[in-house]
Amino acid sequence: MTDFTNSQIIDFIYAEARMLDEGRYDEWLALWLEDGHYWMPLDYQQDDPHLTTSLMYEDMFMLKLRVRRLNGARTYSQKPKSRCSHVIQRPFIDLLDNTAGLYQTNTSMHYVETRLDDQILLALTATHDLKRVDGKLRIANKRVDLLNCDAAFGNIQLLP
Amino acid sequence: MTVTKADNQARADAAYIAQLIQPHQVHRDVYTSQTVFDLEMQHLFANVWVFVGHDSQTPKHGDYFTTQIGTQPVIQVRHSDGQIKVLHNRCPHKGTKIAIDRTGNTGTFFRCPYHAWSFETDGALKAVPLDRGYENTGFRTTANAGGIKPVGAVHTHRGFVFARLAETGISFDDFFQDSLSSLDNMVDRSPEGRLEIAGPPLRYMHKCNWKMLVENQTDTCHPMVAHQSSAGTAVRIWEELGNPEPKPAAMQIIAPFMSPYEFFEDMGIRTWPNGHGHTGVSHSIHSDYSAIPGYFESMSAAYGEARAKDILDENRHNTIYFPNIMVKGPIQQLRNFIPLGPDKTLVESYIYRLVGAPDELLARTAMYNRMINAPTSIVGHDDLEMYERAQEGLLSDGLEWVNLQRLFPGTAEDFSTETVENGTTERQMRNQFDAWKTFMTTSMPDRKDGRR
């Protein structure tokens, strides 16, 4: 049984952000558990992903579709491609339970996405639910709360 | 009779507007010109019935909701008599917006935060602090002393609130006529005949003209092209997984966008007078969603089996209520295309709960909204890309006209009666521009048809 330290969990969060910035989506998808969801609420402090609208609430099928589409020959909104950068603050570790193999982190980030002459900056807090499976950390769920979730946005095409 | 400078300007405006619309094409100025946009705000959005909100957004006395009609800020508020009022969101004193939150409750009266003038919830002036300062000033004879000005007219149809800014003009029923059948079908899908707002709308900013979005709602030749990257990829991933059943949710929602041209040709387009119309007369991309246990039973209990079946067999795709909303009856969605400038449009996408129906229906509606209408939607991304490329492309002087000729009969069409045609026709877009020309010039002198 592997016991994870604070530092290993923090490294995991940093590594995940780097995969997104570098577009290493196959590696990124491999971090996820099959029944995980990526949730980005639409409303401030929203507590339900099902019966009101969210910006995203995506299962593995949708996430695979989303990242596969990015490289398609006829993905017109990605010609030219977008680029992104996460600047992340040291994650808080809100749960570290090596007995159960469950972990939760809370991470503030600044997310920049750019394409052609446009660039957007989003401030966000990511909450990761992590699980130990076969001695490795995996993402069970991820919630991304945009500070201005209720603002009007243009396209947000990559993954904040 | 004296002819004023304003009359001459209005005649010039009317002549200019008339030149922009031909039976089979429109001049690119309708999308790019600040002058045309200003005339739209002054005339079109004043002369017609424009969507404001839903009455469940303001259920109790003093509940308000702020929005805009064209570029004009308004407040929808529940008055003490239970009626919905729509007021110009501007203090009659200095112009300060009375309400700034998107939703709230003002109690029994509005109070301007600048100088504490107070108003009843129908806008009537209640009190002005230190009002002896207005004695013998003539203030009481001004329009400003009347309070917060209401819009010209308000009508609520089965919970949906519409307003006409102009005090006189076409009546609600004459404007919408039988097109209200789409809103009716959406509401009838509730066993209690009632909808309720379900959370805040998605808000998606578009750097393009508002009419491009409206036209795209009945453009049935774009889904399999512009959305190949999302819908086509969804189908490929599903096949790679070995065609699992039941289909993943994304497949039910997104894959129908890849239906062949014949599917869209056969589904039909219906047009009504005054620019209204809908796709999906016989069937639509919403026809094959899986049944939700218990729903048909509760509909049958409410309406009887035959009537319940009639209601649910109507699977209209997108209904345009001219000028600027689209309704999806089968999944209880409304998209409001709010014009902010010739090249700037805010799209707000609302969802509604069918009161008395199982939650699974609302869950699917919320899913559709985020998958298709969000600024984070892989489907929305490709639509916005097309609109913005068109907005930029139209600046080219190479050609000045935008073509609307698919299934055009060759001579000018009559839009005064309801028709059903091939589902890939651009007739509904032509219908919108015919209504656009009518209501742009209704309040300009010397219309060609003699109406004022």
Side-chain angles (χ1 to χ4, degrees), chain B residues 24-315:
Chain B
H24 66 293
Q25 61 182 6
V26 295
H27 193 270
R28 57 102 183 260
D29 279 9
V30 304
Y31 304 103
T32 58
S33 156
Q34 183 69 48
T35 303
V36 171
F37 183 81
D38 292 343
L39 290 171
E40 284 178 332
M41 296 305 106
Q42 186 187 346
H43 294 281
L44 176 65
F45 278 78
N47 291 332
V48 299
W49 290 86
V50 179
F51 171 74
V52 180
H54 192 264
D55 69 356
S56 64
Q57 290 172 270
T58 53
K60 296 189 301 294
H61 178 212
D63 284 349
Y64 66 84
F65 154 67
T66 60
T67 180
Q68 52 190 76
I69 298 176
T71 46
Q72 300 195 33
V74 296
I75 311 172
Q76 172 187 312
V77 59
R78 182 80 62 168
H79 187 46
S80 51
D81 63 1
Q83 298 291 306
I84 298 270
K85 304 289 178 186
V86 180
L87 310 174
H88 287 275
N89 192 356
R90 173 218 196 272
C91 181
H93 182 204
K94 300 287 189 192
T96 311
K97 274 184 167 182
I98 296 293
I100 196 88
D101 306 26
R102 294 201 181 108
T103 60
N105 183 290
T106 192
T108 55
F109 63 95
F110 285 112
R111 180 177 183 272
C112 180
Y114 198 176
H115 301 95
W117 289 25
S118 58
F119 310 92
E120 308 290 351
T121 44
D122 63 356
L125 185 64
K126 193 171 149 74
V128 173
L130 201 62
D131 69 345
R132 64 175 181 273
Y134 290 100
E135 279 168 20
N136 304 317
T137 63
F139 169 69
R140 294 288 160 196
T141 65
T142 66
N144 302 51
I148 308 174
K149 201 167 155 49
V151 298
V154 178
H155 188 99
T156 301
H157 180 81
R158 304 200 65 183
F160 290 88
V161 181
F162 292 82
R164 191 187 64 217
L165 290 173
E167 282 170 23
T168 58
I170 191 166
S171 73
F172 181 86
D173 288 337
D174 286 347
F175 184 61
F176 286 118
Q177 303 181 26
D178 291 336
S179 72
L180 293 170
S181 54
S182 285
L183 270 182
D184 288 342
N185 178 258
M186 178 158 77
V187 182
D188 287 344
R189 285 167 173 267
S190 150
E192 297 180 21
R194 204 154 51 84
L195 299 185
E196 266 176 16
I197 189 91
L202 287 162
R203 303 177 70 241
Y204 195 172
M205 196 64 82
H206 285 55
K207 287 189 281 186
C208 70
N209 189 270
W210 63 277
K211 295 186 290 302
M212 289 182 184
L213 280 138
V214 180
E215 284 157 41
N216 190 59
Q217 307 308 309
T218 63
D219 183 323
T220 51
C221 287
H222 88 281
M224 66 297 284
V225 182
H227 302 306
Q228 186 184 340
S229 68
S230 48
T233 307
V235 174
R236 268 211 318 284
I237 295 175
W238 181 64
E239 288 168 354
E240 286 166 18
L241 293 171
N243 304 21
E245 294 283 352
K247 290 192 176 82
M251 277 295 293
Q252 282 199 41
I253 302 275
I254 298 180
F257 286 61
M258 280 310 279
S259 303
Y261 286 114
E262 296 71 34
F263 176 91
F264 289 100
E265 285 193 302
D266 292 345
M267 76 191 233
I269 285 183
R270 177 181 280 125
T271 63
W272 292 288
N274 297 326
H276 317 301
H278 79 92
T279 48
V281 178
S282 58
H283 59 270
S284 77
I285 61 168
H286 306 307
S287 297
D288 292 329
Y289 292 162
S290 55
I292 302 291
Y295 177 48
F296 186 69
E297 289 72 11
S298 61
M299 285 292 284
S300 292
Y303 294 102
E305 200 173 317
R307 171 85 181 115
K309 200 167 174 330
D310 279 351
I311 292 167
L312 299 178
D313 279 351
E314 192 73 59
N315 273 300

Side-chain angles (χ1 to χ4, degrees), chain B residues 4-15 35 39 444-445:
Chain B
T4 66
K5 196 175 168 189
D7 284 340
N8 282 330
Q9 183 59 51
R11 279 195 190 89
D13 289 342
T35 303
L39 290 171
M444 296 174 183

Side-chain angles (χ1 to χ4, degrees), chain A residues 55 66 68 115 153 155, chain B residues 204-205 207 240 376 385:
Chain A
L55 288 162
R66 178 177 286 278
R68 173 92 70 96
R115 178 173 175 255
F153 299 109
N155 277 349
Chain B
Y204 195 172
M205 196 64 82
K207 287 189 281 186
E240 286 166 18
T376 36
E385 177 72 11

Side-chain angles (χ1 to χ4, degrees), chain B residues 17 20-21 30 36 40 44 210-211 322 431-441:
Chain B
I17 292 303
L20 299 176
I21 309 298
V30 304
V36 171
E40 284 178 332
L44 176 65
W210 63 277
K211 295 186 290 302
F322 183 78
N431 185 31
Q432 284 158 204
F433 277 109
D434 182 70
W436 185 87
K437 190 160 89 173
T438 300
F439 291 104
M440 279 289 272
T441 54

